[in-house]
Amino acid sequence: MKDFINFLYKNHSLAYKLILFISTTFLIVYLFPKSGKFKYNFEKGKPWQSENLYAPFDFAIKKTDEEIQSEKKEIKDNAILYFNLEPKIKDQVIADYNSEFKLELPDSLVKKDKEKLFALGLNIIDHIYNYGVLSEDFDFSNDRKVVLLEGRTEKQTIKFSDLIKQGEIKNKINNTLNNENLSQYSTPYISLFFDIVEPNLEYDKGITEKALQSDLDKVAYTRGSVERETLIISKGEVVEGSKYQILKSLESEYESQVWTKSNYNWILFAYTLLVSLALLMLLLFLRKYRFDIFENNTKVTFIFFNVFLMVLITTLVVNYNSQYIYVVPICILPLVLKAFFDARLGMFTHVITVLLLGSIVSNSYEYMFLQIIAGIVTILTVSELYKRANLFISVGQITLIYIIAYFAFFVIHEGSVETLKWETFGMFVLCGLATLFVQPLIYAYEKLFGLVSDVSLLELSDTNTKLLKELSNKAPGTFHHSLNVANLAEASANEIGANAMLVRVGALYHDIGKMMNPTYFTENQSTGINPHDELSSKESAKIIIDHVINGIEIAKKNNLPDRVIDFIRTHHGTSTVYYFYKKEKDFDSTVDKNLFTYPGPKPFSKETAILMMCDSVEAASKSLKEPTSIKIDNFVENIINKQMVDEQFLNANITFKEIQSIKKVLKHKLANIYHLRIEYPE
């Protein structure tokens, strides 16, 4: 057990990557659809490109959504209405009529007319209560069937037009009186009926809706079926009409059928294999071509997190509404990775992510083609992300490529532009606008993962920052030296294709530790007094060496990024404070050289190696007396060759050819600083 714990401790970095790999794989697989996927692509009105297709199993032919909605609408429009009938109300109205008739109509009324009016009233009551009087006005169609319920028992079925609305009673009375030439009695007669008539029909919404739902539940979602081994479509046959609907039914059956536990597990296993292969390729790429990133667990976590984030956002959009798929700004991924790392890693990760997304989206070939092309354009066009204009121009170019590629695919599929979906172009514009969110996202990532982008480097390169202002006040000579080194390092980095912005910032801050004891460094000794004269060689060497440690402490206190602190750590590597070492050795031959040696580490990148060369050359160049081109050439060669002999660049991924190029730049720059002309032969 102890050996196993020791093994894990020694290989904790690889163990972390394994856990990260497995967890990311399962999280992505969890987001994937857990159903079968139809392996054929087809378009309505286009020829069937694959081989003859036979039904792999029995399946039903599904109706289209339009057909189903039409059937449901028809059922709703013709659904039976249910009304509760109260039979006692009619008897009560007749009784009230008998008692109120004599009171409402005058005694002076002619007996014959009075008898006639009384009989007419009974006929009117009998007519309006033949089926019933509605309690309120309803906006139903007159042809709708109505079932009258008496005590929850069906009494009779009629049309809605047979029912009497309360507003119709007045017209019915007037028409009856006009027909009998008794219109002069309309006012008291109508007043009489309005006092006694009561509605006896109440709409039963609960029973009506329950019956409607029962009818809707009976709607068939399929029409007919296809038996196994039946020829569905032949190669070259046009996909249209019933053929198209049968293919859509088969596709739907593949994607939505209830899988057995065995099938479900196989699908999960297959998805896990595909996702793990894709992520494994990403890890192997990092290990082979970006080993420094592979060794840094934070950076590997950052890359995997961004891949998962893109899959998550795309899945959420697809589940909400797949037509918005092109609004997702996938090109943010290569932008972010290029900002923190490099273009090659950004492009490789983008392609891996798009391949994973191909299993989520519909019409995957078109989607992957558009996203990969857009990713390539992103990598090619976006440079110097810290310049706002560059980002806007690049986003415009990315949006244009999206539109052109989509237009081409649409014409290929449809054969014309008449049915072009202009709203999709609007989605590409929204995608472009969403891509601009990369700036605040980069800032958030810098804080969360401790990474450094060119935007932060640009801010740090400003000589008006608090730390650099403090350096210029406390150690003006060191500040001037740092500026010269920054110019030399930037030119050298540009010559060999290194990160010029990073090395410039590193050069500006590499000597901030000298602020602790500025007068112990010659560039700050303006009075001609050298405090080292009163110290031993060991004490002097300790003060000189400690400026590296002090610089690291100051940098951390001021929250400088680790990538910048690396320049402070490595700009002297494991070199020796030779002047004081030689002075002490002349006094004591048994002196310990380690007391006069910088703690290191040695430079481990092109940028840190460039700073070591430029720092040494610039500092030593102050000792040149009557410099000439030949002197400068020999001077640069001697300093850098000595560093190579001391194996200071052993851990840096820099070649001899690149070192020669840096020497050439330094010679040229120093010649310009000292205003030297070319020495012509006599």
Side-chain angles (χ1 to χ4, degrees):
M1 183 66 181
K2 187 177 179 181
D3 292 339
F4 178 72
I5 293 173
N6 289 334
F7 175 79
L8 283 180
Y9 179 76
K10 290 179 182 178
N11 298 277
H12 67 278
S13 181
L14 284 175
Y16 174 83
K17 290 182 182 66
L18 181 61
I19 295 171
L20 178 66
F21 172 78
I22 293 173
S23 58
T24 307
T25 299
F26 280 104
L27 282 172
I28 292 176
V29 170
Y30 175 77
L31 296 174
F32 277 13
K34 308 301 187 302
S35 62
K37 194 170 179 69
F38 197 50
K39 63 180 179 180
Y40 301 104
N41 289 319
F42 59 92
E43 294 284 338
K44 190 174 183 179
K46 298 290 184 293
W48 179 257
Q49 301 292 339
S50 305
E51 69 277 3
N52 293 352
L53 179 62
Y54 294 88
F57 43 74
D58 296 343
F59 66 93
I61 304 172
K62 293 190 174 183
K63 296 177 183 176
T64 64
D65 291 339
E66 292 77 12
E67 289 175 322
I68 293 170
Q69 292 303 322
S70 176
E71 287 184 25
K72 287 185 175 181
K73 185 177 183 304
E74 186 177 355
I75 290 173
K76 289 177 181 178
D77 292 342
N78 298 298
I80 296 175
L81 304 172
Y82 288 84
F83 285 85
N84 290 315
L85 174 66
E86 182 54 58
K88 294 181 180 180
I89 288 179
K90 181 180 179 181
D91 296 336
Q92 182 62 45
V93 170
I94 293 173
D96 292 341
Y97 176 75
N98 288 328
S99 61
E100 294 292 329
F101 181 80
K102 295 176 182 179
L103 298 174
E104 289 293 335
L105 292 171
D107 294 336
S108 59
L109 191 67
V110 178
K111 184 179 181 181
K112 183 180 179 182
D113 289 347
K114 195 171 185 178
E115 291 176 352
K116 193 173 184 180
L117 283 171
F118 184 79
L120 282 175
L122 291 175
N123 288 335
I124 291 172
I125 292 171
D126 188 59
H127 177 75
I128 63 177
Y129 283 103
N130 183 33
Y131 297 115
V133 179
L134 293 168
S135 60
E136 59 182 286
D137 291 345
F138 295 98
D139 190 23
F140 295 126
S141 170
N142 287 331
D143 294 330
R144 291 280 290 273
K145 287 185 179 181
V146 173
V147 171
L148 301 181
L149 301 174
E150 188 175 328
R152 294 288 175 179
T153 303
E154 185 176 332
K155 181 181 179 183
Q156 60 181 325
T157 302
I158 58 176
K159 288 185 178 181
F160 183 72
S161 59
D162 294 331
L163 303 179
I164 303 297
K165 297 178 182 177
Q166 293 185 54
E168 297 174 350
I169 296 175
K170 181 178 179 181
N171 292 333
K172 192 171 289 294
I173 293 172
N174 283 329
N175 291 335
T176 303
L177 292 176
N178 288 335
N179 291 335
E180 298 295 333
N181 296 318
L182 296 171
S183 58
Q184 65 269 29
Y185 302 111
S186 64
T187 301
Y189 207 61
I190 290 172
S191 176
L192 167 65
F193 272 89
F194 268 88
D195 288 339
I196 64 172
V197 169
E198 294 289 338
N200 66 337
L201 291 177
E202 190 73 30
Y203 177 55
D204 196 324
K205 187 177 180 180
I207 293 179
T208 301
E209 290 185 350
K210 188 175 180 180
L212 172 61
Q213 189 58 49
S214 177
D215 290 339
L216 290 174
D217 292 341
K218 294 176 183 176
V219 172
Y221 288 80
T222 61
R223 59 163 187 273
S225 62
V226 177
E227 295 183 357
R228 184 180 179 183
E229 299 300 330
T230 301
L231 177 63
I232 296 175
I233 193 167
S234 303
K235 185 173 182 179
E237 191 175 350
V238 177
V239 179
E240 58 185 358
S242 61
K243 297 285 184 183
Y244 177 75
Q245 196 55 38
I246 292 172
L247 286 171
K248 291 297 289 184
S249 300
L250 179 58
E251 181 182 38
S252 176
E253 191 71 21
Y254 262 103
E255 294 177 353
S256 64
Q257 63 179 293
V258 179
W259 292 84
T260 63
K261 186 176 180 181
S262 174
N263 283 339
Y264 182 79
N265 291 336
W266 274 111
I267 291 170
L268 282 182
F269 177 70
Y271 271 136
T272 304
L273 279 181
L274 290 177
V275 174
S276 59
L277 278 175
L279 295 180
L280 180 62
M281 293 305 105
L282 182 55
L283 276 177
L284 291 176
F285 174 86
L286 292 174
R287 191 176 186 280
K288 185 171 179 64
Y289 297 106
R290 300 292 182 271
F291 192 72
D292 56 325
I293 297 175
F294 180 79
E295 287 288 285
N296 190 317
N297 284 339
T298 301
K299 292 179 179 178
V300 176
T301 304
F302 173 73
I303 294 169
F304 274 58
F305 171 77
N306 276 277
V307 172
F308 172 72
L309 183 64
M310 286 298 132
V311 175
L312 174 63
I313 294 173
T314 305
T315 304
L316 292 175
V317 172
V318 168
N319 290 340
Y320 174 71
N321 192 333
S322 60
Q323 74 178 33
Y324 297 125
I325 187 65
Y326 287 116
V327 176
V328 181
I330 301 296
C331 289
I332 279 183
L333 180 62
L335 273 175
V336 167
L337 295 182
K338 185 180 180 183
F340 288 116
F341 306 114
D342 60 85
R344 190 176 179 187
L345 175 58
M347 190 66 238
F348 191 89
T349 308
H350 177 71
V351 171
I352 291 291
T353 306
V354 172
L355 290 175
L356 290 174
L357 294 177
S359 298
I360 299 174
V361 301
S362 57
N363 206 354
S364 56
Y365 174 73
E366 176 186 318
Y367 177 83
M368 290 193 292
F369 185 92
L370 260 65
Q371 297 297 359
I372 290 175
I373 288 293
I376 293 171
V377 173
T378 302
I379 294 297
L380 293 177
T381 59
V382 177
S383 59
E384 299 177 325
L385 193 61
Y386 54 87
K387 294 182 180 179
R388 290 171 295 180
N390 285 0
L391 180 60
F392 279 98
I393 293 169
S394 297
V395 166
Q397 292 171 331
I398 294 165
T399 305
L400 180 63
I401 290 298
Y402 268 130
I403 291 173
I404 292 172
Y406 174 77
F407 175 80
F409 269 105
F410 187 88
V411 172
I412 291 171
H413 290 159
E414 300 296 328
S416 70
V417 295
E418 294 176 0
T419 56
L420 193 62
K421 298 177 181 177
W422 295 101
E423 60 272 16
T424 308
F425 294 159
M427 292 181 193
F428 291 134
V429 174
L430 289 176
C431 177
L433 294 175
T435 305
L436 295 174
F437 184 70
V438 70
Q439 286 283 20
L441 187 64
I442 286 174
Y443 178 79
Y445 279 154
E446 287 178 336
K447 300 304 178 185
L448 287 172
F449 292 91
L451 301 171
V452 184
S453 69
D454 285 349
V455 179
S456 292
L457 292 176
L458 180 66
E459 293 172 356
L460 291 171
S461 68
D462 183 5
T463 54
N464 288 315
T465 58
K466 179 184 175 183
L467 195 55
L468 290 180
K469 278 188 127 180
E470 187 180 356
L471 178 63
S472 67
N473 291 330
K474 290 184 177 180
T478 300
F479 178 72
H480 182 70
H481 159 72
S482 298
L483 285 176
N484 290 337
V485 173
N487 292 331
L488 293 174
E490 186 176 18
S492 301
N494 284 326
E495 183 68 21
I496 66 170
N499 191 331
M501 180 65 73
L502 176 62
V503 76
R504 178 175 181 81
V505 173
L508 288 173
Y509 291 90
H510 79 283
D511 270 345
I512 56 174
K514 292 181 179 180
M515 286 193 294
M516 302 286 282
N517 298 294
T519 57
Y520 285 87
F521 299 90
T522 55
E523 66 266 25
N524 299 312
Q525 295 170 359
S526 57
T527 60
I529 299 173
N530 190 346
H532 287 289
D533 294 340
E534 300 177 4
L535 301 175
S536 67
S537 298
K538 290 181 181 178
E539 290 173 328
S540 294
K542 186 177 186 309
I543 291 173
I544 299 297
I545 292 170
D546 280 352
H547 89 272
V548 173
I549 307 299
N550 294 334
I552 294 171
E553 290 177 357
I554 293 171
K556 288 187 174 180
K557 191 181 293 184
N558 286 272
N559 297 317
L560 287 185
D562 287 340
R563 288 178 75 187
V564 177
I565 296 175
D566 287 341
F567 288 91
I568 302 174
R569 288 192 181 100
T570 61
H571 75 277
H572 283 296
T574 56
S575 61
T576 304
V577 186
Y578 190 72
Y579 175 82
F580 292 109
Y581 171 66
K582 190 173 185 306
K583 185 178 177 182
E584 182 69 17
K585 193 173 183 180
D586 291 341
F587 177 76
D588 180 9
S589 59
T590 60
V591 64
D592 184 3
K593 190 176 181 180
N594 291 329
L595 297 174
F596 297 85
T597 302
Y598 285 98
K602 296 176 181 179
F604 47 78
S605 67
K606 288 181 182 181
E607 289 77 16
T608 50
I610 289 170
L611 178 62
M612 173 179 271
M613 296 182 222
C614 296
D615 181 45
S616 302
V617 168
E618 202 284 332
S621 68
K622 298 293 188 292
S623 64
L624 281 175
K625 296 177 180 179
E626 298 180 0
T628 63
S629 295
I630 295 174
K631 278 186 178 180
I632 288 174
D633 289 356
N634 292 334
F635 167 78
V636 171
E637 289 286 344
N638 289 336
I639 289 179
I640 295 179
N641 286 344
K642 186 177 185 307
Q643 290 174 337
M644 293 172 67
V645 170
D646 291 342
E647 297 183 341
Q648 295 298 325
F649 308 132
L650 195 63
N651 298 331
N653 58 335
I654 193 167
T655 64
F656 284 116
K657 183 179 179 181
E658 289 170 337
I659 293 174
Q660 289 301 119
S661 298
I662 293 169
K663 287 180 181 178
K664 185 178 177 181
V665 170
L666 293 177
K667 292 171 186 176
H668 178 70
K669 287 290 182 181
L670 287 177
N672 288 338
I673 290 171
Y674 289 106
H675 306 292
L676 298 179
R677 297 182 181 273
I678 298 173
E679 295 185 3
Y680 294 98
E682 296 180 0

